[in-house]
Amino acid sequence: MIWRILTGFLIVLILLLLVLHIRARGHRREEDITLATLPRTITLSSQSFPPGGDLPMACSCKGPGNSPALDWSSTTAGVRSYALLATDYDAVLARFPIFNFSHWVVYNLPPTVRSLPEGVTPEQMLLLGGKLGDNGMNEQRFVPPCPPFDRHRYTFRVYALDTTLSFNRIPDRQNLLDAMQGHILEYGELTGLFEK
């Protein structure tokens, strides 16, 4: 009897993980389809790590957990605000991701802001004019990389918008993506890697 219960539980768990994996891939595919229609003309770089390189310990759970320094350049006219998303598409296992974990949600950065220092605090972000949304832990801050398994890719994207955004409550990553639809003038992307 106990073997049947354990077998049934294992089958349900496997099916649940498979559904989560398919859902995560579907959401990422939807994002990729949207991004393919947008100009990727923002140059996004970091003094904290090179493109496709390793995030430093200082920007991870092995160190103080600083957000990385980010710089971007844009020549597009009509930008009213910038938004920033940092996402781990490899959670929990890089070979079999089951969700897209949001590490940072920033919006309404003024068009005059084109860089963020390493370790920018929520208070400093507000002084810059930006607002923080809920990350994957329902907190308004940068969540440092801390993958339990494998080497994960962390994607940072900056979006130039033709508007400023308003929400009735603190937005999460999906709320921000939905609100930006039809308002993105261009974007830039930078990927870093980390393994504990």
Side-chain angles (χ1 to χ4, degrees), residues 40-54:
R40 185 176 169 177
T41 47
I42 292 178
T43 301
L44 179 60
S45 62
S46 176
Q47 295 176 10
S48 301
F49 65 97
D54 290 330

Side-chain angles (χ1 to χ4, degrees), residues 4-97:
R4 285 186 189 172
I5 293 171
L6 288 175
T7 302
F9 176 76
L10 185 60
I11 290 170
V12 169
L13 180 62
I14 290 169
L15 288 173
L16 175 62
L17 291 174
L18 188 59
V19 167
L20 290 173
H21 173 69
I22 291 168
R23 185 174 177 218
R25 287 179 60 119
H27 285 163
R28 178 149 192 205
R29 193 175 309 113
E30 286 174 14
E31 279 186 55
D32 289 342
I33 289 169
T34 299
L35 290 172
T37 67
L38 301 171
R40 185 176 169 177
T41 47
I42 292 178
T43 301
L44 179 60
S45 62
S46 176
Q47 295 176 10
S48 301
F49 65 97
D54 290 330
L55 286 155
M57 290 294 180
C59 296
S60 77
C61 65
K62 292 289 212 174
N66 294 335
S67 58
L70 295 173
D71 298 279
W72 59 94
S73 60
S74 168
T75 57
T76 298
V79 176
R80 296 283 307 280
S81 69
Y82 289 104
L84 166 67
L85 291 173
T87 309
D88 175 5
Y89 291 102
D90 293 332
V92 170
L93 287 167
R95 292 179 217 104
F96 191 80

Side-chain angles (χ1 to χ4, degrees), residues 81-84 105-110 129-133 161 165-167 169-171 176:
S81 69
Y82 289 104
L84 166 67
V105 177
V106 181
Y107 64 101
N108 285 356
L109 279 168
K131 295 186 177 182
L132 291 165
L161 307 179
L165 302 173
S166 61
F167 298 92
R169 61 182 179 82
I170 297 172
L176 186 60

Side-chain angles (χ1 to χ4, degrees), residues 35-191:
L35 290 172
T37 67
L38 301 171
R40 185 176 169 177
T41 47
I42 292 178
T43 301
L44 179 60
S45 62
S46 176
Q47 295 176 10
S48 301
F49 65 97
D54 290 330
L55 286 155
M57 290 294 180
C59 296
S60 77
C61 65
K62 292 289 212 174
N66 294 335
S67 58
L70 295 173
D71 298 279
W72 59 94
S73 60
S74 168
T75 57
T76 298
V79 176
R80 296 283 307 280
S81 69
Y82 289 104
L84 166 67
L85 291 173
T87 309
D88 175 5
Y89 291 102
D90 293 332
V92 170
L93 287 167
R95 292 179 217 104
F96 191 80
I98 58 172
F99 61 95
N100 304 322
F101 186 79
S102 175
H103 282 260
W104 211 10
V105 177
V106 181
Y107 64 101
N108 285 356
L109 279 168
T112 53
V113 174
R114 301 285 180 89
S115 66
L116 297 173
E118 184 172 306
V120 64
T121 65
E123 295 76 21
Q124 290 170 325
M125 188 69 77
L126 290 174
L127 288 174
L128 288 170
K131 295 186 177 182
L132 291 165
D134 279 342
N135 59 35
M137 299 176 72
N138 295 318
E139 298 172 346
Q140 295 88 53
R141 65 179 182 90
F142 174 73
V143 179
C146 197
F149 310 103
D150 299 330
R151 186 180 193 78
H152 286 209
R153 295 163 295 167
Y154 297 88
T155 303
F156 296 83
R157 286 196 187 109
V158 170
Y159 302 85
L161 307 179
D162 65 3
T163 187
T164 55
L165 302 173
S166 61
F167 298 92
N168 294 326
R169 61 182 179 82
I170 297 172
D172 61 15
R173 179 177 181 278
Q174 191 58 53
N175 297 145
L176 186 60
L177 286 170
D178 291 343
M180 290 193 301
Q181 288 295 318
H183 295 289
I184 301 172
L185 299 172
E186 60 177 345
Y187 80 101
E189 182 176 305
L190 176 67
T191 300

